[in-house]
Structure formats: structure tokens, C-alpha cells
Amino acid sequence: MTTGTAATAATATDAPGRSFRPLAGVLTAMAVSVTGTRVSAIALPWFVLATTGSATMTGLVAFAEMAPYVAVKALTGPLVDRLGPRVVSWTTDAVSAVAAGLVPLLHAQGLLPFWVLLVMVAVIGAMRGPGDLAKSVMVPEAADHARVPMERATGLSGVTERLASTIGPAVGGGLVALMGPLAGLAINAVTFALGSLIIAVALPRGMGRPAVPATAADPAADPAVDASGEEQPAGYWRMFREGFTFLRSEPLLLTVIVMIGITNLIDAGFITVLVPVWARESGNGPAAIGLLAASMGATAVVGSLIAAAVASRLPRRTVFFTGFLLCGAPRFLVLALGAPMWLVITVFAIGGFGSGFLNPILGAVLFERVPRHLLGRVHALGDSLAWAGIPLGGLVAGAAVATVGLIPSLIAAGALYFATTTLAGLRPEWREMDRLRGGSGRADSVAGASGVGDAADAAVEPEPARSA
């Protein structure tokens, strides 16, 4: 038997016309959104530092954005499935555009006290979470329309994110240097508005509809039935519980989430604290930070392009852990050893290449194993759990440097990174990575399977993976 969602996907795939328009639209909206966010990542801290002179307030603003991002994203999965990813994407981007635009406008009028800035940033973070989720959820449907393998679609998504993450900081740095931080914040508002317009207008009609509620053919997700015998949509908490129950029944996805959650926490501390402290103590200065990010980002784009082209024919487990071996512990070790700059850049570039293969594989595994009607809530829960440590990464790294110093902190973080990615690979769940290749959600493709039937951002630059 086939659920209504699977039937919809099959119809799109079997239709006589093959269209790349949906995939191009989703990827374009992703590119615009990520570029604006990366511009803001430079402009906003600089604006806070310039107006307050306080590093503590700068960190508080960063926390005010990321904490709502993680929390709201975890809770909006059922809403994405109920309302449809298209509606969620364009509406949240529209709200973000208004909030981002108010920051330079209120500042110009002298009406932006610090608490109002925190509120605006929190609104942006709260809207970005479901907005990013909704765009990601539309990738498999767009792949159906284009008739491309899931690894290729998720690989192109990874290329888009990596490229935007490389271009965005360069654009942001130039804007801030030439025109000041308010120009960067205004550009962020424009990109949110443009992303909303692309999703609302440019995508073909009918794409990104609400997930079709499961019918009696799928007892595990049977909707509520009223007194007249008519099916009613399941309530929010029931939908949330269904996503949590499915995720708990998937050992591979849980293992991925735990591993990525630990590496994301380490990477967040590495980027926000360890690398800047290294740049200061080594005398290389802030230019070295941008150079390392650019070298890793550029080679990550190359790796993602190759992954998009050939990953569907490669053994996932081998490629995945080789990628983590290249992009993980060596970065920490080369900084701890005080290596010359050319060697540091080389190690980061090799690591970026390896990281380019990670999110395409993670995304393909997620989309293949999760039924389409559960994709929003499972993806939201997985991403949020994997991102949960990111707001704390800088705090942990800062405390470690203050307690034991930079070099021991780098060595300890690198060792933990290596142990996490290596020991996880020994678990038997990872053998499941190469099963169900080309599927469209286990419960949609195999009725009655045992049990009930992520991976971008997401997945931190220059860390390898955020998604789960």
C-alpha cells in the first residue's frame, strides 16, 4: 500500500514533463537567504561593538538569535507539515524582512535601545528556524520534479549553502568597510524579502503543499476520527509526538544526531573562540581568520559539487567517515602545533574538501528514511537536537581557554572530535547508510515495514556539518 504523500511524489515523478524549475527555485531561495544571513553575521556584531563597545553585549545578541532559532525550529515541525513548507517559508521570511529592516530604520531615528535590538534579533532567529526548515523540506519534492538522485539534489543544496557561505562574508566585510554596518543589516532585510518573493511567486503552483494526512492504510499515523466518522487532522501535540516516536525508532538517525550534536558544539567553540584566540596569540591577526574560512569554504564547494555528481555511486559509510577524518581533528592539531601559515591553510583546505561530502550524504539518508508526511517534524526535531550545543560552544571554549590555555584546549577538542567521529563509526547502525538508496521515505515505499517505516545548515562555517 502507498500513502497519499507517496502517491503525490510518484505522480510528480512519473509525469511526462521533467522540470528543473522547482529545484532551481528552492536552491535560489536558499542561496539568497544564506547570503543575507552571512552578511548579517559580520554586520550585526560590528554594529553592536560600534554602538556599545561591549563584547559581552555582542555575545548576548548572538545568543538572542541562536537560542530562539533552535527552540522554535524544534517546535514548528508539525506546523510545517500541517500548513505546508511553501506557506511557512515565504511568511517567515517576510516577517524576518520586516524585523531586519526595522533595525537600521529605528537606529536612524534614535529609537533603538538595546532591549529593542534584542527583541528584533530574537524575532529574526525565531523566524529563520522554521523558514530554513521549510526550504529544506521542499528539496525532495523538487528532486522528484527534476528526476535527479537524492544525493545529487542534496549535493546541489550543499553547494548552494557552501557557495553562499563563502560569498556572504566577503560581501558583508566589504559593505561594512565601505558603508558601515547598517548597510549590511539593510541588505539582510532585502535578502529576506527576496527569498520570500521567490518561494511565493517563482515556484510552480501546487508545490510545497501541506503533507497529506495518513489514512487507515497506515495505522501508525491514523488521523483522528470525529463522531460522524470523518477523518480530522491530528492535533499539534499528537503530530509532534508522532515525529518524536518515529525518530526514537530510528537508531541510525539517533546516532547521527548525537554525533553531529557533539561535533557542532566543538565546532562552534572552535570558530567563535579558539580560532580568534589563536589568530591573536600567533600574531596572524583577524585577516588570517577570513583566509582560513575562505580556503575551507572554497574547497567545500568543490567537494559538494563532486558529491552532487558522483555521491550516488559511492559507498556512503566509507566516504562519510573519510570526510570527517579530513575535516575534523587535523584542524585543531595544526593550530596547536604552531605550524606555519601555509600548512594551516593547506590543512583547512583539505578539510573543506572532505566536509563537502558530508551534508549531501546526511540529507539523502534523512529524506530516504523519513516518510514525507513526517518529514517536517522529524527534520525539525533532528536539526534542533543537533544544533542544541551551538549556543553553548563559545561559552565552553572560552571557559576552557581561561582555565587551561589555548594549546591544551585545542588538543582536547581535537581529541574529542576524533573520538566522537571514529567511535560512532564502529556502531552497527551505520551499516544502514547504504540501504534504501533511491527510496522516498521508508514508510512511504515499504508499507508495513518494521518500526514506523537529517542533515547543511545544516547544516557552521567553517565546520563540516550541522544537519542531522
Side-chain angles (χ1 to χ4, degrees), residues 49-381:
L49 281 173
T51 55
T52 69
S54 171
T56 301
M57 288 185 174
T58 303
L60 184 58
V61 168
F63 181 82
E65 181 176 10
M66 289 309 303
Y69 182 102
V70 173
V72 174
K73 190 175 187 179
L75 297 172
T76 51
L79 297 180
V80 171
D81 289 337
R82 174 74 61 81
L83 300 176
R86 182 175 189 161
V87 169
V88 172
S89 180
W90 76 258
T91 53
T92 54
D93 278 357
V95 174
S96 295
V98 173
L102 282 174
V103 174
L105 181 62
L106 291 176
H107 178 73
Q109 300 296 321
L111 301 174
L112 189 68
F114 185 70
W115 70 268
V116 173
L117 176 63
L118 289 179
V119 171
M120 294 296 101
V121 170
V123 169
I124 293 171
M127 293 297 101
R128 272 187 54 215
D132 289 351
L133 170 66
K135 294 179 186 65
S136 178
V137 166
M138 285 189 283
V139 168
E141 183 182 358
D144 289 342
H145 282 280
R147 298 183 186 177
V148 299
M150 198 61 69
E151 286 96 338
R152 185 163 300 167
T154 55
L156 290 172
S157 175
V159 170
T160 301
E161 182 177 356
R162 301 286 187 179
L163 190 58
S165 297
T166 302
I167 294 173
V171 173
L175 278 173
V176 171
L178 293 174
M179 304 176 65
L182 290 180
L185 297 177
I187 289 294
N188 189 33
V190 171
T191 57
F192 276 127
L194 183 58
S196 177
L197 186 64
I198 291 171
I199 294 296
V201 177
L203 296 187
R205 182 173 298 179
M207 183 175 173
R209 290 176 176 174
V212 179
T215 66
D218 185 4
D222 217 7
V225 179
D226 64 12
S228 65
E230 301 237 350
E231 291 181 354
Q232 299 295 321
Y236 171 85
W237 289 112
R238 178 175 176 177
M239 294 178 71
F240 187 90
R241 187 169 60 252
E242 286 172 354
F244 180 80
T245 300
F246 176 85
L247 188 59
R248 190 175 57 184
S249 73
E250 278 284 339
L252 174 59
L253 294 183
L254 285 176
T255 303
V256 168
I257 289 169
V258 172
M259 187 186 79
I260 299 299
I262 295 173
T263 58
N264 277 347
L265 185 149
I266 299 171
D267 278 319
F270 182 72
I271 293 164
T272 59
V273 175
L274 298 182
V275 171
V277 172
W278 165 83
R280 184 188 63 191
E281 294 189 359
S282 65
N284 288 299
I289 302 174
L291 185 58
L292 294 181
S295 63
M296 195 167 188
T299 53
V301 171
V302 175
S304 295
L305 282 171
I306 296 175
V310 304
S312 61
R313 300 191 294 272
L314 297 176
R316 287 176 176 172
R317 185 183 182 190
T318 301
V319 172
F320 182 75
F321 285 102
T322 300
F324 258 122
L325 186 64
L326 293 176
C327 73
R331 291 176 294 142
F332 298 83
L333 185 61
V334 75
L335 297 187
L337 294 177
M341 193 62 187
W342 68 266
L343 182 57
V344 174
I345 294 174
T346 301
V347 170
F348 272 66
I350 294 173
F353 179 77
S355 75
F357 288 83
L358 300 180
N359 280 344
I361 293 175
L362 286 174
V365 170
L366 171 75
F367 293 139
E368 289 170 358
R369 300 189 72 86
V370 180
R372 291 286 175 87
H373 70 277
L374 293 175
L375 188 56
R377 54 203 113 151
V378 174
H379 200 335
L381 285 169

